[in-house]
Amino acid sequence: MIRKLGYFCAFSLPLLLIAGYYLGNEWLFMLPVFVFFIVPLIDILLGTDTSNIAEPLLPSAATEFYYLFLLYFWTLIQSVLLIWACYEATFENWNLLQWIGMILGMGIITGGIGITVAHELGHKKSNVERFLSKVLLSEVCYTQFYIEHNRGHHVHVGTPSDPATSRKNESFYRFWKRSVFEGFSHAWKIENERLAKKGQPIFCFSNEMLGLTLAPLALAAVFTLVFCLIRGDFVWEVPVFFFAQSIFAFSLLEGVNYIEHYGLMRKELAPNKYEKVNTLHSWNSSQLLSNFFLFQLQRHSDHHIFPARRYQVLDHHDESPQLPTGYPGMLLLAMIPPIWFKVMNKKLEEWEGRSAK
């Protein structure tokens, strides 16, 4: 029951954004402060949760609709919240603090939680879940993630071929540039190769990347057109806000990508042949609160071994490399490369020593 209720933590973030907005100005920043300072502090106070669901209970827990309902409900809440934010941008003359606060707050919601939910839904076979994953990714202009992550990252993780695996001594800022741009081109390459095997041209209705690339642009255009018609004037605020929060949102995702596999490379057994992905190839965190917020994304090793396994039944593995704190705290460290390298290179050297045995 505690686990079930715990996952509702994520829904506190939209409430904080709305409350901060109506309280005004500097109150908008209580959401970023809560996520990046209060949550890591509570993580330290509450400690870790390394318990796994008992094996006899796994089948019922994995199929219980309650957990899927939370993801569906999040999709609805995020979409409504984004429309509300565009409405406020249209009819309120935001000052600089409001612009910054709303972009950061909305980006944390759509990127920190929204892309996490999209990631969970995108790994499933259900057409409904996959469609909702694409909706959430469209709201942050990062639809290529649907192809690159599932058919690229999960195949090549921990190898030089994976743009989403950060290298040792690579700063987040260098990684961001490589992962964003190479990830986009890699998604096109993956889809083009799929079509070539079927003897289909690149420009055809079967090319998923065409639709995925156009979807965010179409969504931004629809939002802009609707609010232009409502206000009776061109609404530049809507596309500016939509794309600005999107950039911050997918930058948070790339921050998480940077953290999850920093320096953890698979052994090359032969040219371009690597060892099978195992529990040693992802950084994990068992902090209780941040795992509730992120639907157990921090149990990342188990996810890579069983990509289709639902978030509520992901396992903790003692042998997996463990982060010193949850993702929110680690994101702050990643923003300051010298501190990140000092903390993580030491832990990485310990991992290298263990994995070499």
Side-chain angles (χ1 to χ4, degrees):
M1 182 57 67
I2 291 175
R3 282 176 181 263
K4 283 187 172 183
L5 294 176
Y7 294 120
F8 268 101
C9 287
F11 295 91
S12 66
L13 301 189
L15 295 176
L16 283 175
L17 179 66
I18 294 170
Y21 179 76
Y22 287 115
L23 286 171
N25 290 331
E26 64 275 2
W27 285 101
L28 267 171
F29 295 92
M30 69 179 176
L31 173 54
V33 169
F34 174 74
V35 169
F36 293 114
F37 294 96
I38 305 300
V39 169
L41 179 60
I42 297 176
D43 265 343
I44 293 172
L45 295 175
L46 291 181
T48 59
D49 170 29
T50 60
S51 62
N52 297 324
I53 294 178
E55 191 169 339
L57 301 177
L58 282 176
S60 60
T63 56
E64 190 171 348
F65 180 72
Y66 170 84
Y67 298 101
L68 182 57
F69 166 77
L70 292 179
L71 305 184
Y72 287 173
F73 188 46
W74 176 268
T75 305
L76 174 63
I77 293 296
Q78 177 176 306
S79 299
V80 171
L81 191 70
L82 185 58
I83 293 170
W84 165 78
C86 289
Y87 177 88
E88 292 297 324
T90 299
F91 293 101
E92 296 296 327
N93 186 23
W94 286 352
N95 58 37
L96 182 60
L97 276 179
Q98 288 174 306
W99 271 105
I100 296 173
M102 285 295 288
I103 289 169
L104 294 180
M106 196 72 214
I108 289 171
I109 290 168
T110 57
I113 310 298
I115 299 182
T116 300
V117 173
H119 165 262
E120 174 71 18
L121 294 170
H123 273 291
K124 305 305 179 285
K125 295 181 179 179
S126 162
N127 289 332
V128 173
E129 291 175 80
R130 290 184 175 187
F131 172 75
L132 293 179
S133 174
K134 294 173 185 176
V135 169
L136 291 170
L137 292 172
S138 295
E139 293 177 351
V140 293
C141 300
Y142 223 55
T143 42
Q144 76 272 10
F145 179 81
Y146 179 81
I147 290 177
E148 161 57 22
H149 180 81
N150 294 329
R151 289 153 52 191
H153 174 65
H154 271 265
V155 175
H156 301 292
V157 63
T159 74
S161 299
D162 180 33
T165 295
S166 51
R167 303 353 176 197
K168 184 177 181 180
N169 292 321
E170 180 181 39
S171 73
F172 164 69
Y173 306 102
R174 285 174 55 199
F175 168 80
W176 183 95
K177 181 180 177 182
R178 177 168 54 81
S179 187
V180 169
F181 294 103
E182 289 187 21
F184 182 76
S185 62
H186 195 216
W188 274 100
K189 180 182 177 183
I190 291 170
E191 185 63 2
N192 291 347
E193 289 174 350
R194 182 184 73 86
L195 293 171
K197 289 179 181 178
K198 292 185 173 185
Q200 295 179 310
I202 293 175
F203 295 100
C204 66
F205 288 111
S206 297
N207 190 331
E208 276 196 283
M209 272 302 292
L210 283 175
L212 290 172
T213 302
L214 293 174
L217 301 176
L219 185 61
V222 168
F223 279 1
T224 303
L225 177 60
V226 168
F227 286 108
C228 282
L229 292 173
I230 292 173
R231 197 170 78 175
D233 190 14
F234 177 67
V235 182
W236 61 267
E237 295 91 343
V238 169
V240 168
F241 174 74
F242 181 84
F243 290 119
Q245 67 85 28
S246 293
I247 292 170
F248 185 66
F250 68 67
S251 294
L252 282 180
L253 163 69
E254 292 302 346
V256 170
N257 279 338
Y258 178 76
I259 291 164
E260 287 172 338
H261 303 285
Y262 175 73
L264 303 180
M265 307 302 289
R266 288 150 62 191
K267 293 176 184 176
E268 190 172 17
L269 306 177
N272 295 319
K273 299 290 183 182
Y274 296 88
E275 65 177 321
K276 187 177 180 180
V277 176
N278 60 49
T279 55
L280 298 179
H281 296 130
S282 301
W283 290 101
N284 291 256
S285 175
S286 295
Q287 268 64 28
L288 181 64
L289 184 60
S290 51
N291 258 324
F292 281 145
F293 271 99
L294 296 171
F295 297 97
Q296 299 215 115
L297 180 66
Q298 298 176 148
R299 292 188 169 192
H300 206 61
S301 287
D302 202 51
H303 166 68
H304 267 277
I305 298 170
F306 305 104
R309 179 174 282 180
R310 295 194 177 271
Y311 70 92
Q312 67 268 24
V313 293
L314 288 173
D315 280 343
H316 164 85
H317 296 278
D318 287 331
E319 71 275 14
S320 297
Q322 302 295 318
L323 295 166
T325 187
Y327 286 1
M330 296 307 297
L331 282 169
L332 286 183
L333 287 185
M335 298 303 103
I336 312 172
I339 298 178
W340 171 268
F341 295 144
K342 184 175 182 180
V343 172
M344 290 304 297
N345 280 4
K346 182 178 179 181
K347 296 186 73 66
L348 183 58
E349 287 164 8
E350 293 172 359
W351 173 86
E352 290 170 339
R354 285 190 287 118
S355 63
K357 295 178 181 179

